[in-house]
Amino acid sequence: MAARNAVYSPLDGERNGLNSKLPFKRNGMDICITPCVRLKGVRSYLQAVDSGSRRPLRRAARFSFSRLPLSPRSGPHLMNTKRNKIYEGKAKILYEGPEPGTLIQYFKDDATAFNGEKKAQLEGKGVINNRISEFVMSRLNQIGVTNHFIKRLNLREQLIREVEIIPLEVVVRNIAAGSIAKRLGLEEGTPLPRSIIEFYYKKDELNDPMISEEHITAFNWATTQELDDILATAIRVNDFLSGLFTAVGITLVDFKIEFGRIYENDFSRVILADEISPDSCRLWDTATGEKLDKDRFRRDMGNVIESYTEVARRLGIMKDMPTVIQGGLH
C-alpha cells in the first residue's frame, strides 16, 4: 500500500485507548508516533505529531500503511473492544479485568457537582485525573499504604485490584472550606485546630449524609477494627499528601478517600481505593490562594482544565502528557 503523509492529534490515539507513543527526534524536533485503529476496515497505521508544539509539522514523517489483524483480546484496555461493564459512576467506569480479582478503571471527562445536579463535559479531565491518581497511588504503595492501584494501562485506564467497597466517604480536613465552613459558621481559609476526619454515608439518593462512628458500627458498614484501620490510613495519607503538595507550592485544604475490602484465604483487610485527584481534593496555590481543584467547576470560576494541568505540571508528570487546554487536548 502506498505511503502517505500523516499529521495527527494525540487525542485521536487516546480515543482509541492506545498508549504506545514512541518519541524520537527528526531535524532536532521531538516527534511522537501514535498508533491508531480505524474501525472501517480495521487498519492499523502510524501517524506523526509534534509533541512539543501546538502547530502541525511542516514536514511530516512518511510511514507505510499495512493491514494488521487486531484480535478483540489483543488488549484489555482497548476502548473499542466489547467488555463487561461492572459499574458506572459519575466520574469513572469499572470493567471486568483480564485476571480474576482485577478490574479496569476508566476515567471519564464528566464533571458533576451537588450530587449530580450540575453536569458538564470537560474534555481531557479524565486523562489528567488518571495520571495524577496513578502518581499519588504509586507513591503511597511505595511507603506502605496499600491501595487498589496496580498499573496504568493507557491515557484513561488503570488496572486495579477488585475490592468490596465500604459505603463510606472519608473526608480529612485541614482548613475550613466547603460544607464545614457553612455548618460551623467558619470563614473559608481558617486553619483548623487540628486535622478533622469526617464520615459520610455513600448514598446518592440521600445526598451522602454525614454520619458518626456509632452509625458505622451499629449498621455494620465496617467493624471497629476496620474503622481503626481506616482512621490510621487516613492520617497517613494526609501526612503524605500535605508534604507532597507543600513541596510544590500547593496547600492541601481537604480531601475525600474511599476504602474497600480484599479477601485473602479466610481473612479480609481494608485498603485504600477509588482515586486521589483534583476531583477529590481541595488544592490552593500557597502563594496566591488560587483554587486548583473541582471548586472551579462548582463555583463557575472557569479554567478547570488549566488548573488540573497546573497541579500535574507541578508534580512533574506533564513531561509525557499531551498538551491540555480548556476545552480539549491538542
Side-chain angles (χ1 to χ4, degrees):
M1 190 176 294
R4 298 184 189 173
N5 290 339
V7 179
Y8 199 48
S9 161
L11 182 58
D12 292 328
E14 178 266 316
R15 279 181 180 136
N16 287 278
L18 298 169
N19 65 328
S20 303
K21 292 190 174 179
L22 310 176
F24 69 95
K25 286 191 179 292
R26 181 180 177 87
N27 298 328
M29 184 181 294
D30 287 326
I31 296 176
C32 182
I33 303 306
T34 306
C36 177
V37 177
R38 273 203 179 156
L39 293 176
K40 207 168 184 178
V42 192
R43 294 181 298 178
S44 184
Y45 58 93
L46 295 172
Q47 298 179 302
V49 296
D50 176 0
S51 62
S53 169
R54 292 177 62 174
R55 59 184 170 76
L57 294 176
R58 288 180 180 173
R59 286 187 293 177
R62 302 177 74 86
F63 299 96
S64 295
F65 288 73
S66 61
R67 288 184 177 272
L68 294 175
L70 184 62
S71 164
R73 314 225 8 108
S74 62
H77 54 281
L78 291 180
M79 290 171 58
N80 293 326
T81 302
K82 194 170 183 179
R83 295 179 297 183
N84 183 22
K85 183 193 293 187
I86 304 298
Y87 170 81
E88 181 167 1
K90 292 188 283 285
K92 295 181 293 295
I93 303 174
L94 295 178
Y95 294 101
E96 186 176 8
E99 301 292 338
T102 66
L103 297 173
I104 294 170
Q105 181 170 255
Y106 174 85
F107 286 76
K108 303 193 293 184
D109 284 339
D110 295 23
T112 63
F114 314 119
N115 251 348
E117 292 180 13
K118 181 177 182 180
K119 299 177 183 179
Q121 279 268 323
L122 300 175
E123 192 168 14
K125 182 178 81 74
V127 174
I128 303 170
N129 283 349
N130 184 24
R131 295 305 307 273
I132 292 175
S133 193
E134 172 204 10
F135 180 88
V136 174
M137 291 293 197
S138 296
R139 277 149 186 79
L140 285 170
N141 267 325
Q142 290 169 10
I143 65 168
V145 178
T146 307
N147 58 72
H148 71 168
F149 178 80
I150 299 174
K151 66 178 181 178
R152 180 172 60 87
L153 297 174
N154 54 57
L155 286 175
R156 287 190 185 272
E157 295 182 329
Q158 300 176 355
L159 183 66
I160 61 172
R161 299 168 77 172
E162 184 175 12
V163 302
E164 178 186 285
I165 284 290
I166 295 172
L168 302 175
E169 293 184 349
V170 182
V171 175
V172 183
R173 300 185 185 275
N174 301 308
I175 295 172
S179 63
I180 193 171
K182 294 176 183 177
R183 284 199 317 267
L184 304 182
L186 300 174
E187 183 181 352
E188 187 167 86
T190 303
L192 299 173
R194 61 177 177 81
S195 298
I196 295 175
I197 300 177
E198 298 175 340
F199 297 99
Y200 295 82
Y201 181 38
K202 190 175 166 65
K203 199 80 168 175
D204 284 346
E205 50 267 42
L206 300 177
N207 293 319
D208 302 332
M210 188 177 179
I211 55 175
S212 69
E213 295 180 30
E214 286 293 313
H215 291 109
I216 295 169
T217 53
F219 290 106
N220 203 30
W221 293 325
T223 66
T224 302
Q225 181 59 57
E226 288 174 335
L227 201 49
D228 288 344
D229 292 342
I230 287 170
L231 287 165
T233 301
I235 292 168
R236 286 198 67 191
V237 172
N238 188 42
D239 289 345
F240 171 79
L241 291 180
S242 294
L244 176 72
F245 287 120
T246 297
V248 296
I250 296 174
T251 298
L252 177 66
V253 176
D254 57 39
F255 62 94
K256 184 266 294 183
I257 49 179
E258 297 183 21
F259 292 84
R261 297 182 187 90
I262 57 171
Y263 293 89
E264 297 165 335
N265 299 320
D266 295 330
F267 301 95
S268 70
R269 62 187 175 111
V270 171
I271 65 171
L272 183 64
D274 197 44
E275 69 173 294
I276 297 177
S277 73
D279 265 10
S280 59
C281 303
R282 277 194 175 91
L283 305 169
W284 294 354
D285 180 87
T286 303
T288 66
E290 182 181 5
K291 293 174 173 58
L292 303 172
D293 54 66
K294 193 176 175 181
D295 271 350
R296 302 198 69 88
F297 173 70
R298 292 187 188 99
R299 303 183 185 188
D300 296 315
M301 299 172 72
N303 297 328
V304 179
I305 294 299
E306 288 91 339
S307 299
Y308 282 35
T309 303
E310 177 62 14
V311 174
R313 185 192 68 78
R314 293 195 194 185
L315 291 174
I317 58 178
M318 284 297 296
K319 294 174 290 187
D320 56 344
M321 284 182 67
T323 303
V324 183
I325 62 170
Q326 179 67 29
L329 300 176
H330 68 97

